[in-house]
Amino acid sequence: MLAFGGCLAAPAYAAETEPPREPAPLTVAVLGFEVPGNTASDIGSLISDTIEVMLSGDDRFALVDRSSLARTLEEQGLNLTGATDTSAAIATGKVVGAKLLVTGKAFELGKSRMITAKVIGTETTKVEAVMAKGELDKPLDELVFEVAEKLAAVMQEKGAALVAAPEAADPVPALVEKLKGKKLPVFAIVIPEEHRRGSIPIIPPDPAVETELKKLLLGAGAEVQDVKDNALAGWVKDYEEGGNPAWPRTLEGVEVIIVGEAFSESAGTLGSLRLASARAEINAITRKDGKIIHADRATTRAVDLAEEIAGKTALEKAGRVMGVRLLEKLVKDHADEPAQ
């Protein structure tokens, strides 16, 4: 059991020179610090309070209100010390609206007392960590202040680097503009997918990857032929088994078939949130000679209150990633072609 002594001194510091301010403050959520084996549960909160004080005077950071933070996490079945795993940082950040999460532990190791703290970028999962270490008789307030100073310095120096860069402009409109008037091939797409939960796969009614690819191609002016029967599925099966099947009669006008497979599966839980990962692969095959002219794959993640929706969203993201790259290939292939 930890035997923390001493009292927390009110931190005092003076900012001699105000550092350059960011265009917009980074939103920070300070979660509870774990104190394993200690009955004085308020120690973790005192550490968090001290860190908040150290950051509160810096205009580069906007702290999430503790009562609001606790209420939001409680609604999602979480608590201030139960959402500290780095792999769950993205989901937690989405829930509380924070770009940066601060968390840590206080514990004894041998003859030393240690406090570790880390700041996690919720969009990048990048981590910066600090530590304060002292003998067992060193007052706790000194260790707390030391780790808080180190953490504040790290956040001031590297906080912006932990946050994802501003989102780039959507590339699709520019790609569509470049393809305007080009004679694009006629496509057919079949990408079966499933959501894996235990030993029984769940087949979604509307394949998200396939739908996203169709949406992007249609938006770029390409024709996508829909298949009303199982002819394409049968052709794909024969092709993947190494055969050389004849082109289905129902696809006489199709010039490129995009085939592949996709699946999503649970990536764990975070309170009432459900995380899912998705993996998708495609091959684009020409009718002319049966060669693969484009191959791609994507792995993505998503979070939602329902596992199947999280899986569907992750698959949709994978479809968009590959769809954008397919449009980029079409732009390259038709660069020298005059517009119709």
Side-chain angles (χ1 to χ4, degrees):
M1 176 180 295
L2 289 173
F4 287 95
C7 60
L8 286 174
Y13 65 97
E16 298 178 356
T17 304
E18 184 176 346
R21 296 184 180 182
E22 295 291 331
L26 299 177
T27 308
V28 181
V30 181
L31 304 182
F33 275 59
E34 296 182 43
V35 187
N38 189 58
T39 57
S41 58
D42 61 335
I43 291 179
S45 296
L46 291 173
I47 298 174
S48 300
D49 291 343
T50 304
I51 291 172
E52 285 190 342
V53 171
M54 297 291 291
L55 297 175
S56 62
D58 195 320
D59 291 335
R60 289 173 293 186
F61 304 111
L63 295 171
V64 178
D65 178 70
R66 291 296 293 280
S67 59
S68 174
L69 173 61
R71 183 169 59 253
T72 303
L73 291 178
E74 182 179 1
E75 290 172 353
Q76 300 299 331
L78 307 172
N79 59 68
L80 288 175
T81 58
T84 59
D85 186 80
T86 302
S87 63
I90 292 179
T92 306
K94 183 176 181 180
V95 171
V96 302
K99 298 288 187 181
L100 299 174
L101 294 181
V102 177
T103 186
K105 292 183 179 181
F107 56 95
E108 291 180 2
L109 183 63
K111 297 182 179 181
S112 300
R113 177 178 291 139
M114 306 177 72
I115 300 178
T116 61
K118 59 183 178 181
V119 53
I120 307 168
T122 60
E123 296 175 343
T124 63
T125 68
K126 293 180 180 178
V127 177
E128 289 288 340
V130 297
M131 180 181 70
K133 178 180 178 182
E135 299 297 326
L136 292 177
D137 58 354
K138 184 173 183 177
L140 175 61
D141 56 354
E142 293 183 17
L143 281 179
V144 170
F145 190 69
E146 179 183 343
V147 79
E149 279 192 314
K150 290 181 177 179
L151 189 60
V154 165
M155 292 183 65
Q156 290 162 357
E157 179 182 354
K158 301 181 179 180
L162 296 173
V163 178
E167 292 185 8
D170 184 356
V172 173
L175 294 171
V176 169
E177 183 65 27
K178 292 179 181 179
L179 290 170
K180 187 178 294 184
K182 305 291 185 178
K183 183 174 174 54
L184 302 178
V186 179
F187 291 90
I189 305 173
V190 56
I191 306 172
E193 64 185 47
E194 63 184 30
H195 179 74
R196 298 176 181 175
R197 180 196 291 171
S199 59
I200 302 177
I202 300 172
I203 309 300
D206 300 306
V209 175
E210 185 176 308
T211 300
E212 193 67 18
L213 287 173
K214 288 179 179 178
K215 176 183 175 182
L216 290 172
L217 287 172
L218 289 170
E223 180 182 346
V224 180
Q225 183 169 320
D226 198 12
V227 182
K228 300 299 183 181
D229 53 33
N230 293 324
L232 182 54
W235 183 91
V236 170
K237 181 178 179 181
D238 290 342
Y239 179 88
E240 291 180 342
E241 291 177 352
N244 186 23
W247 205 258
R249 291 184 178 181
T250 54
L251 301 178
E252 287 301 324
V254 173
E255 298 168 273
V256 177
I257 288 182
I258 297 178
V259 300
E261 60 180 2
F263 70 90
S264 61
E265 61 184 4
S266 172
T269 62
L270 184 63
S272 61
L273 296 176
R274 301 295 180 265
L275 291 78
S277 297
R279 168 81 175 186
E281 300 177 357
I282 61 171
N283 287 316
I285 305 166
T286 62
R287 176 183 181 182
K288 180 179 180 181
D289 51 21
K291 292 184 178 180
I292 296 175
I293 58 171
H294 181 68
D296 202 359
R297 62 183 182 272
T299 301
T300 52
R301 287 184 173 183
V303 60
D304 198 273
L305 292 172
E307 181 183 312
E308 288 82 0
I309 298 300
K312 176 75 75 173
T313 302
L315 287 165
E316 181 181 317
K317 289 181 179 180
R320 180 172 178 80
V321 169
M322 295 189 296
V324 169
R325 291 198 285 247
L326 179 59
L327 293 185
E328 291 172 343
K329 173 177 172 50
L330 291 174
V331 168
K332 182 178 180 180
D333 292 346
H334 295 268
D336 300 327
E337 177 186 307
Q340 300 293 316

